[in-house]
Amino acid sequence: METARSIGGFDFLGHEHINNKMTIKASLKAIVADDHPAVVKGIRTFLERDGEIEVVATAENTLQLAEALDSCSCDYVFADIGMNGLDGESSSIAFLRRLSWQERRPKVIVVTMISHSRMLAGLLQLGIDGIIDKRDPLQCLNEAIAITRNGGRFLSPSAAESVSRLPNSVPARAGVLSRREWEVFRLYASGLLIHDIAKRFGRSSKTIATQRRSGMRKLGLETETELIEYLRQVGLV
């Protein structure tokens, strides 16, 4: 019998509770969204290999994902959060949050390289059904379906390890950066100093520094080291 565990205040079933020979009996429909075509291809090929899951649409950005959801009914969405949002946000988190709050919706599984514990815990807090770290085996895709289909929530091994590092006293947070905050992060990652970024935007250094602090606060980043690591994980460094 499967037993739920609690990590970071969230109950979920881990990969060790799944029989690797387990199959999905009924045909399921899925949408795969990632801004790296090779990732989309890999996930689609794996999901469809046994003919038990049909990928009815793919998307390379949040707009395409929204259009696919409008035109195709599906049981699952596998989506990266690194895609730009519909309104210029730095990620697809705002869109996935709105999707997860809908009464009749597909299960939402985030597939990501980000391992920041506060952000991953924040995604669970928003109602995301599962998180798979891209460094974990593809088999986690089937395990996520098997668990979440029965109402559970799933974390792949690396995602579970990341969430477990979050102290109980630290709040989960998966904020969404504004267009300007993301641009400040992007330029900062490129090596520009605060006063260089301020000059480019025609703003004061104090304003740019405030926008950088605001972005860090939204993401739950407290130190320069955490900021650099986040920028590395999203591919800006």
Side-chain angles (χ1 to χ4, degrees):
M1 179 175 174
E2 294 169 356
T3 303
R5 290 190 298 154
S6 180
I7 288 184
F10 299 97
D11 292 329
F12 73 98
L13 295 174
H15 72 292
E16 66 270 22
H17 297 287
I18 294 295
N19 184 334
N20 287 334
K21 295 182 180 179
M22 183 177 187
T23 59
I24 309 303
K25 295 181 180 179
S27 177
L28 297 175
K29 299 182 185 301
I31 294 175
V32 179
D34 195 292
D35 55 0
H36 294 87
V39 173
V40 172
K41 176 68 172 178
I43 293 176
R44 178 173 194 165
T45 300
F46 184 84
L47 290 176
E48 293 187 329
R49 75 197 191 290
D50 295 326
E52 296 161 344
I53 301 170
E54 178 187 2
V55 176
V56 295
T58 63
E60 293 185 10
N61 53 58
T62 306
L63 176 59
Q64 290 181 10
L65 173 57
E67 292 173 342
L69 285 164
D70 284 341
S71 60
C72 304
S73 62
C74 68
D75 303 290
Y76 277 87
V77 170
F78 292 88
D80 189 15
I81 57 174
M83 305 177 293
N84 288 338
L86 295 180
D87 300 313
E89 305 99 340
S90 63
S91 70
S92 60
I93 291 176
F95 176 80
L96 295 178
R97 176 176 59 200
R98 292 193 295 271
L99 177 61
S100 69
W101 288 351
Q102 294 178 10
E103 185 175 355
R104 297 178 63 86
R105 65 166 179 86
K107 301 290 187 181
V108 180
I109 309 297
V110 164
V111 185
T112 181
M113 281 291 292
I114 293 176
S115 59
H116 183 53
S117 59
R118 292 183 74 177
M119 181 174 292
L120 297 186
L123 290 173
L124 294 175
Q125 194 174 69
L126 293 179
I128 298 300
D129 299 287
I131 303 173
I132 297 175
D133 190 302
K134 289 181 179 178
R135 287 157 288 222
D136 285 328
L138 282 168
Q139 183 59 35
C140 288
L141 296 168
N142 274 352
E143 294 169 357
I145 292 174
I147 286 176
T148 59
R149 193 181 186 194
N150 294 319
R153 288 207 283 186
F154 177 81
L155 291 176
S156 69
S158 296
E161 197 279 329
S162 295
V163 173
S164 71
R165 293 198 303 265
L166 184 68
N168 291 332
S169 59
V170 177
R173 185 168 296 168
V176 178
L177 301 183
S178 67
R179 185 191 298 268
R180 178 51 59 87
E181 289 166 345
W182 176 249
E183 190 66 12
V184 168
F185 273 23
R186 187 183 67 79
L187 293 174
Y188 186 72
S190 73
L192 294 183
L193 301 177
I194 293 295
H195 72 268
D196 297 321
I197 301 173
K199 185 179 297 184
R200 176 169 296 197
F201 288 137
R203 295 287 189 269
S204 69
S205 294
K206 182 178 180 180
T207 296
I208 299 303
T210 298
Q211 290 171 338
R212 188 184 70 160
R213 286 196 302 273
S214 174
M216 290 177 65
R217 185 170 59 251
K218 287 181 179 180
L219 298 173
L221 306 173
E222 297 181 350
T223 67
E224 186 76 7
T225 299
E226 289 181 348
L227 173 59
I228 296 301
E229 177 61 18
Y230 169 79
L231 296 175
R232 185 189 66 77
Q233 289 178 9
V234 298
L236 290 181
V237 174

